[in-house]
Amino acid sequence: MFVLYTIAHYKNGFNLDYLTILLFFGGFIVYVLAMLIINLITQKNDLTQKSTNTILLFAFLTTILPISLTNADILLSNLLVILGIKSVLSLRNGKYIKSKILDASLCIGVASLAYFWSIGFIITVFLGILFFEPKNYRNWIIPIVGLLVVYIVSNCFTLLFYDSFFIVADYIKPISFSFEGYAYKGGVFSTGTLTICTLFFFAIYLIKFNRKSTKSKPVLKLIISQLLIALTMVIIVSGKNTSEMIFIAGPLAIIGTTYLEMDHGKFIQEINLWVFLLLPFMILLF
């Protein structure tokens, strides 16, 4: 991850000044934290076996999107969304429901300040309430309160430092169905690879879904919902350049682990491993 992250920044252009170096290492810490939290989610919720397959897939799915690795706002937003999803999934244990809903709402609200369209993941918070604690009407109000808190604090910040209000009209971004931003060699390769992986992994996951225990199905539905929201976001976001696809990486890494954990035989497993290791280098180096 560090090697490919460094190559992506080098190809994007790298100036040796203090601010650039700080952003470089800060972005990498955020990037690694997102990977660690994804792995923690899988282990705590028994979504996969005790292995590093999810880490491998997350590294693969993010490094085939080199533009996302050079965008600090995208990396930060992705980390905050993953933290929010972690809080939503932890609702299953029935403890501290309201504080977890608020935590998730705040994380997603702040994530939307870094990258507006991540606001769509607030849907997962409402789905979490629906699956785990729907009868208490107060739970349905908390996500709205969380977003309002983010808006008020943002206004306080802009008033203090810029002497102006945080205007909602400037915050909302336009919708676009144009995919012209993908029309370059690296973009076509990244988009094609990610599309094939999504279709293949998702198909296998749906086949395996009915074999999962009833207790784990709400959590699995939330992971599927996260993936579908990320895919919808990719379709409607304006100014597409493949960096927005990083939101697909987290849930797809969990979903794709189901495929890697299947008994393919040693030879096929070795092929899978080398494909996932070498493809990102091919995209970045060629």
Side-chain angles (χ1 to χ4, degrees):
M1 286 171 69
F2 181 73
V3 169
L4 291 166
Y5 178 83
T6 304
I7 294 172
H9 277 264
Y10 175 77
K11 290 192 71 175
N12 190 53
F14 192 80
N15 298 318
L16 292 177
D17 57 73
Y18 290 115
L19 180 60
T20 304
I21 293 172
L22 182 63
L23 286 173
F24 174 82
F25 285 105
F28 182 70
I29 291 170
V30 169
Y31 179 36
V32 171
L33 280 174
M35 177 269 289
L36 294 173
I37 295 167
I38 284 288
N39 188 56
L40 179 65
I41 287 172
T42 60
Q43 301 301 320
K44 287 189 69 174
N45 293 280
D46 298 319
L47 298 175
T48 63
Q49 298 172 10
K50 305 297 181 181
S51 69
T52 56
N53 287 326
T54 305
I55 292 175
L56 170 66
L57 276 179
F58 182 80
F60 164 71
L61 293 167
T62 51
T63 51
I64 64 172
L65 304 168
I67 294 178
S68 67
L69 302 183
T70 61
N71 190 323
D73 291 341
I74 285 280
L75 291 174
L76 179 60
S77 182
N78 184 54
L79 172 63
L80 290 167
V81 166
I82 291 170
L83 283 169
I85 298 298
K86 177 180 175 294
S87 295
V88 173
L89 294 177
S90 65
L91 293 174
R92 68 183 298 194
N93 63 21
K95 298 178 180 178
Y96 311 112
I97 295 290
K98 291 178 177 58
S99 63
K100 289 175 181 176
I101 295 172
L102 182 61
D103 287 345
S105 305
L106 291 174
C107 284
I108 292 171
V110 176
S112 71
L113 297 179
Y115 188 76
F116 169 72
W117 288 108
S118 57
I119 191 69
F121 291 100
I122 198 69
I123 295 171
T124 59
V125 181
F126 288 105
L127 289 175
I129 297 169
L130 178 65
F131 292 153
F132 299 116
E133 193 70 24
K135 295 181 180 179
N136 190 333
Y137 73 91
R138 294 183 183 89
N139 293 340
W140 296 94
I141 301 172
I142 294 173
I144 299 171
V145 172
L147 294 179
L148 284 174
V149 168
V150 172
Y151 176 71
I152 292 169
V153 172
S154 301
N155 262 308
C156 293
F157 178 84
T158 54
L159 279 171
L160 181 63
F161 290 96
Y162 301 105
D163 195 28
S164 63
F165 280 101
F166 184 68
I167 303 171
V168 176
D170 295 335
Y171 167 66
I172 297 174
K173 303 299 180 184
I175 292 174
S176 173
F177 296 100
S178 172
F179 292 88
E180 292 180 0
Y182 299 161
Y184 65 99
K185 184 174 65 173
V188 171
F189 200 87
S190 297
T191 305
T193 302
L194 194 63
T195 301
I196 292 169
C197 289
T198 302
L199 294 173
F200 183 66
F201 291 156
F202 192 52
I204 292 174
Y205 199 66
L206 290 179
I207 293 170
K208 296 283 186 180
F209 181 80
N210 289 330
R211 302 179 188 178
K212 302 291 184 179
S213 65
T214 304
K215 185 179 180 181
S216 65
K217 283 187 176 180
V219 174
L220 301 178
K221 288 177 181 177
L222 284 171
I223 298 298
I224 292 172
S225 300
Q226 183 187 358
L227 176 63
L228 295 176
I229 292 167
L231 290 170
T232 303
M233 185 179 72
V234 167
I235 293 171
I236 67 174
V237 67
S238 60
K240 297 177 179 66
N241 62 4
T242 73
S243 64
E244 61 280 348
M245 292 183 180
I246 197 172
F247 295 97
I248 298 173
L252 191 59
I254 297 172
I255 289 171
T257 303
T258 301
Y259 166 71
L260 290 183
E261 290 175 347
M262 295 170 65
D263 187 11
H264 304 288
K266 187 175 180 180
F267 179 69
I268 300 298
Q269 288 177 339
E270 287 290 330
I271 291 175
N272 286 330
L273 176 64
W274 283 108
V275 167
F276 293 138
L277 284 175
L278 295 178
L279 262 180
F281 284 97
M282 291 176 63
I283 293 172
L284 279 168
L285 297 177
F286 299 103

